[in-house]
Amino acid sequence: MSQDLLVEVRDDLMWLTINRPERRNAVSPDVLSGIARAIDQANAERGTRAIVLTGTGEAAFCAGADLQSGKAFVFDYSEPRSGFANLFRKARQSNVPMIARVNGACMAGGMGLLSMCDMAVSSSSARFGLPEVKVGLFPAQVLTVLQHLIGRRKLTELCITGEPIDAQEALDIGLVNYVADDVDQALDALVARLLDKSPAAIRRGLYLMKNIDEMSFEESMAFTESQIALFALTEDAKEGQLAFREKRKPVWTGR
């Protein structure tokens, strides 16, 4: 395994830490492929309840592409798909919740990593931005995962001015769930409210949410009315309803 990405399982959580502080945790091919492999691993192991994505240190969550390398935008044009796009596809298919722990600057491709996650908590000192226009580029792939999170006017402003926003504004526009001086305290509080819920409901629920995102109203209705019956067939659904009637805490099997 490359040291560019640290993978650690802590109880029910899989922690993915971009470990390139000398490059402000800019992405590398090893970072992209490592996150993709870890998502596959987490989805294959029922014991993993959530994936936490963060960066080493306090300066940066992820600064995006490594412009210092001079190879950040060098592609193999014989391949129809790129590494970053493939990672976004992989995250889209994940039924394990992904949480971004934004510990510092979140810029350019880092905004893509943030946006591909299902939820996010941020340090109050973090800053967010899409500065690609400053170097003659545009956050093209990032838009696919970012465009449904925030309003069009603010998105356009971020893209065409390249100017950053602070953590409070990121919270105000819906880019993150929580902002705190102690980012780990906010993360722990969010995770605690996830871990006591049905693993099966969360797994199937994320599958449902991601599939209806681009459906028309009638397509979504047809899909969800079939899915609700499948929710009810799970062991967790039966246990949850029984525990409700018996006025006790449910004991989840995740099935």
Side-chain angles (χ1 to χ4, degrees), residues 92-106:
R92 180 76 170 185
Q93 295 165 0
S94 177
N95 296 322
V96 175
M98 298 183 65
I99 305 171
R101 174 189 175 273
V102 184
N103 51 303
C106 178

Side-chain angles (χ1 to χ4, degrees), residues 113-141:
L113 297 182
L114 162 70
S115 300
M116 79 179 189
C117 292
D118 302 294
M119 295 178 286
V121 296
S122 170
S123 163
S124 56
S125 61
R127 291 177 70 76
F128 303 76
L130 297 169
E132 285 89 341
V133 291
K134 296 181 179 181
V135 293
L137 296 165
F138 204 76
Q141 293 177 101

